[in-house]
Amino acid sequence: MLLDSILAKIFYKLFLVFFSVYIAANGAPATPSQDNVIKASDDAVASFVIIADPQLGSLLPERYSLFQSAVKDIKASEGLDAIVCLGDMAENGLALEYQLYYDQLSDYDIHWLGCEGNHDIRLRAYSQSTKRFGTWLNTMNKSDEAPTDTFHYTTDVNGVKFIIMGSDRTEFEENYLSPEQLNWVDKELQAQGGEPTFVIVHQPLKNTNGLPDAWGSAIKSAGSIGKQSDELQAILDKYDNVYLVTGHEHSAFEENYYYEKVGNINSINVPSLTVNKGQTYVVEVFEDSVQFKARNLVTGQWLPQYDVIIPIAQ
């Protein structure tokens, strides 16, 4: 349980009553098809499912219903190693919104990792946001892997490295990446020596994956990570086999903004799990390639026309 006060627990109970009334009036969450469940390949080094921008909120019961359907598909899977969260997990960064994940998935034994999104941090003090987000990840993992005083750290899944990035101060829409964090990313990638590495951050680089048009703005930096975008791009571009995985845009697969080769960087943008009604990627890392397999978790159907297979540079 993530709620630590009687008042918070009371609000959460009222929150669930509201959701229950909505679901009763609009029908139970869909049950994904069981005809072709997620099964990790036997020869995959690592496999994970991505959750991007679910933005579960106290006044958004439709999103919660879609999330419940996605959870059914994830729990029916076989052999997944991790769930990778791309931020905007909570619409308003509230503890009771994070509690929804615990209630649905705390009994599912899998490695959780991921970055913050602007919705997770923008309405409160930085120290409160980092503590809440890190505590949530650690509670889901039943460990203390994630820090509770910063958003950036590294972890691995079966030896495959993940560099998690996040804002170094409270921002409303973009991230702020301090010189210290940028230097840290550079050193972490240098130490990898070209081994496949996933860099996880909520917002994409500017002028990539359809931006700024995908954000509906004439401002060049709109929808992107922000003022440090060029600096981060220059760092990532120096190294082979970097997979920059982002969310934030809410662009459906049909809009064709999901993959772009940016210099030496493989830039993958993932649709919102709830806004785009179940669209996401299941990722498998093999000895010679990284495969992003498009899936709708709400319907339980693969979407192979949006798959991305990236050979590993030797």
Side-chain angles (χ1 to χ4, degrees):
M1 192 76 169
L2 295 167
L3 307 176
D4 55 7
S5 72
I6 294 175
L7 186 60
K9 292 175 182 177
I10 291 172
F11 273 119
Y12 186 66
K13 294 295 184 184
L14 293 173
F15 183 25
L16 292 181
V17 169
F18 170 63
F19 275 18
S20 298
V21 170
Y22 174 88
I23 290 170
N26 292 275
T31 298
S33 171
Q34 299 296 293
D35 292 340
N36 202 353
V37 299
I38 301 168
K39 294 182 180 180
S41 302
D42 291 339
D43 53 346
V45 177
S47 59
F48 57 91
V49 62
I50 296 173
I51 298 179
D53 300 77
Q55 293 181 207
L56 300 186
S58 54
L59 298 177
L60 299 166
E62 181 186 8
R63 291 184 185 174
Y64 184 57
S65 184
L66 290 165
F67 173 70
Q68 287 179 303
S69 296
V71 166
K72 293 178 183 178
D73 197 42
I74 292 171
K75 285 188 170 181
S77 67
E78 299 177 14
L80 285 177
D81 298 307
I83 294 175
V84 175
C85 310
L86 297 185
D88 279 5
M89 307 308 291
E91 175 70 13
N92 302 298
L94 298 173
L96 60 82
E97 293 168 341
Y98 291 113
Q99 183 69 37
L100 293 171
Y101 296 92
Y102 182 85
D103 285 355
Q104 290 290 314
L105 281 158
S106 63
D107 61 343
Y108 184 60
D109 187 18
I110 196 167
H111 186 185
W112 284 75
L113 62 149
C115 63
E116 53 77 27
N118 55 297
H119 279 262
D120 296 308
I121 71 170
R122 66 186 182 182
L123 298 179
R124 52 195 36 81
Y126 186 79
S127 58
Q128 185 183 40
S129 297
T130 52
K131 182 177 180 180
R132 184 166 289 172
F133 195 83
T135 298
W136 169 66
L137 282 176
N138 289 335
T139 301
M140 298 303 294
N141 281 324
K142 302 177 181 63
S143 75
D144 58 357
E145 175 188 49
T148 56
D149 60 349
T150 183
F151 286 119
H152 64 272
Y153 67 102
T154 63
T155 187
D156 72 87
V157 177
N158 292 353
V160 177
K161 187 167 186 174
F162 287 75
I163 298 175
I164 313 298
M165 301 188 67
S167 188
D168 287 315
R169 68 187 183 203
T170 298
E171 294 284 350
F172 191 79
E173 195 68 52
E174 299 176 342
N175 267 358
Y176 167 69
L177 305 179
S178 66
E180 291 77 16
Q181 185 177 172
L182 290 168
N183 185 55
W184 168 81
V185 171
D186 197 358
K187 289 182 176 179
E188 291 290 339
L189 284 169
Q190 186 177 28
Q192 277 295 93
E195 289 295 312
T197 306
F198 292 89
V199 177
I200 308 298
V201 65
H202 181 60
Q203 299 95 335
L205 300 169
K206 71 180 185 182
N207 297 322
T208 66
N209 299 103
L211 291 177
D213 293 345
W215 201 248
S217 176
I219 301 171
K220 288 185 177 181
S221 63
S224 78
I225 201 165
K227 293 180 180 179
Q228 292 78 44
S229 179
D230 289 344
E231 293 175 78
L232 178 60
Q233 182 173 340
I235 291 169
L236 302 182
D237 192 50
K238 295 192 296 183
Y239 302 101
D240 292 332
N241 300 316
V242 171
Y243 310 93
L244 176 65
V245 186
T246 64
H248 190 57
E249 287 189 37
H250 300 188
S251 295
F253 282 135
E254 291 82 357
E255 296 173 83
N256 295 313
Y257 297 143
Y258 50 89
Y259 175 70
E260 184 176 350
K261 186 77 170 180
V262 183
N264 203 31
I265 308 163
N266 298 288
S267 182
I268 301 96
N269 188 261
V270 182
S272 163
L273 181 68
T274 54
V275 174
N276 302 117
K277 301 188 185 305
Q279 292 187 349
T280 194
Y281 276 117
V282 176
V283 185
E284 292 195 297
V285 182
F286 296 91
E287 294 292 343
D288 60 351
S289 67
V290 176
Q291 301 187 13
F292 290 79
K293 299 178 179 180
R295 186 173 177 88
N296 189 311
L297 297 179
V298 170
T299 64
Q301 296 174 317
W302 295 106
L303 306 170
Q305 66 271 36
Y306 305 115
D307 288 358
V308 179
I309 299 176
I310 306 171
I312 293 175
Q314 302 300 321

